[in-house]
Amino acid sequence: MAENKRKNYKSLTDDLTEILLTEQQIDERIGEMAEEISEYYEDKQPILVSILKGSFVFMADLVRKLNIDCTLDFMIVSSYGTKSKSTGAVKIIKDLDIDIENKHILLVEDILDSGLTLSYIKRILETKKPASLRICTLLDKPDRRTANITAEYVGFTIPDKFIVGYGLDYAERYRNLPMIGILNPEIYADE
Ligand code: PRP
């Protein structure tokens, strides 16, 4: 049984052509980001809003490194189209539970790619009149940007490669990998 599990896990990493960021690199960088975020939000009692599903791992690791008083909320959004080609349209599957008027909001994302998802969410949330709204993304792929948006907190600026792991998926798989890797193009060649 244990042997089978190991075999299955290894088959996920076999689909990677390269490990882009190791578990340790990610952990260290999140520690630095958490320090910066804790300093800025020290007396602001921010609401951290995780944009699911991709950001669930980052959110969990980030909040445990923050030494501030904060609350959490979650939105589930999904872009239409396939994983490697987004159409730009965004669907809100689950909205916020908390009223954000006059509150300091930090949006937590796994990746800023075209920027269409975050610019859409930002526009919607700004109509609810938060005291402030900032963006924290673990990964930034500036080469792919089509929307005019930047994040205040960026973990890593990365090249335009199809990546998976640490919350990021291909066809809902690979989210549980603790590292971030480049997916072998053969895996999505027929899409
Ligand atoms: C991914 C990611 C971001 C978005 C970034 O989500 O989590 O939310 O794409 O892309 P963009 O900058 O081009 O808009 P996805 O819609 O794939 O859903 P998921 O989080 O459930 O994987």
Side-chain angles (χ1 to χ4, degrees):
M1 181 69 175
E3 206 170 293
N4 271 345
K5 272 188 190 157
R6 269 203 305 278
K7 194 165 161 251
N8 287 339
Y9 181 75
K10 187 172 182 302
S11 76
L12 284 184
T13 51
D14 284 350
D15 292 348
L16 306 178
T17 56
E18 192 187 316
I19 308 271
L20 192 65
L21 297 164
T22 64
E23 203 176 345
Q24 193 188 341
Q25 284 173 313
I26 296 169
D27 184 65
E28 282 174 11
R29 183 68 189 118
I30 294 176
E32 293 168 358
M33 296 174 87
E35 247 180 64
E36 203 185 329
I37 291 167
S38 297
E39 199 177 309
Y40 178 79
Y41 285 103
E42 197 172 5
D43 302 314
K44 295 188 170 71
Q45 287 194 309
I47 304 173
L48 273 75
V49 176
S50 164
I51 313 298
L52 299 172
K53 302 176 194 168
S55 68
F56 79 103
V57 184
F58 177 41
M59 178 76 155
D61 282 347
L62 178 69
V63 296
R64 283 177 294 172
K65 291 184 196 292
L66 296 178
N67 55 0
I68 51 168
D69 185 10
C70 63
T71 58
L72 315 180
D73 204 350
F74 299 86
M75 288 180 79
I76 303 179
V77 304
S78 186
S79 43
Y80 291 98
T82 62
K83 284 301 295 177
S84 53
K85 271 198 195 107
S86 167
T87 61
V90 174
K91 179 168 63 168
I92 294 187
I93 297 166
K94 185 210 161 286
D95 209 339
L96 293 173
D97 294 329
I98 309 176
D99 180 11
I100 63 167
E101 190 170 345
N102 295 324
K103 300 284 197 312
H104 294 278
I105 306 301
L106 182 62
L107 290 176
V108 177
E109 257 291 22
D110 50 325
I111 185 163
L112 186 51
D113 197 340
S114 70
L116 293 166
T117 305
L118 276 178
S119 58
Y120 179 83
I121 293 172
K122 199 176 170 197
R123 236 184 5 257
I124 299 276
L125 297 191
E126 273 167 352
T127 65
K128 301 177 190 235
K129 301 192 168 46
S132 71
L133 199 161
R134 288 187 158 206
I135 293 172
C136 171
T137 185
L138 179 66
L139 306 169
D140 187 7
K141 252 191 203 176
D143 293 348
R144 298 247 311 167
R145 196 82 83 255
T146 56
N148 181 19
I149 191 157
T150 51
E152 281 78 6
Y153 306 98
V154 174
F156 301 94
T157 301
I158 58 164
D160 183 13
K161 301 279 186 199
F162 197 116
I163 50 159
V164 293
Y166 200 77
L168 291 112
D169 74 313
Y170 169 66
E172 296 299 328
R173 297 175 61 221
Y174 307 99
R175 292 194 198 271
N176 58 315
L177 282 175
M179 75 291 280
I180 292 172
I182 298 174
L183 189 64
N184 187 335
E186 285 171 16
I187 307 291
Y188 54 89
D190 298 334
E191 202 182 80

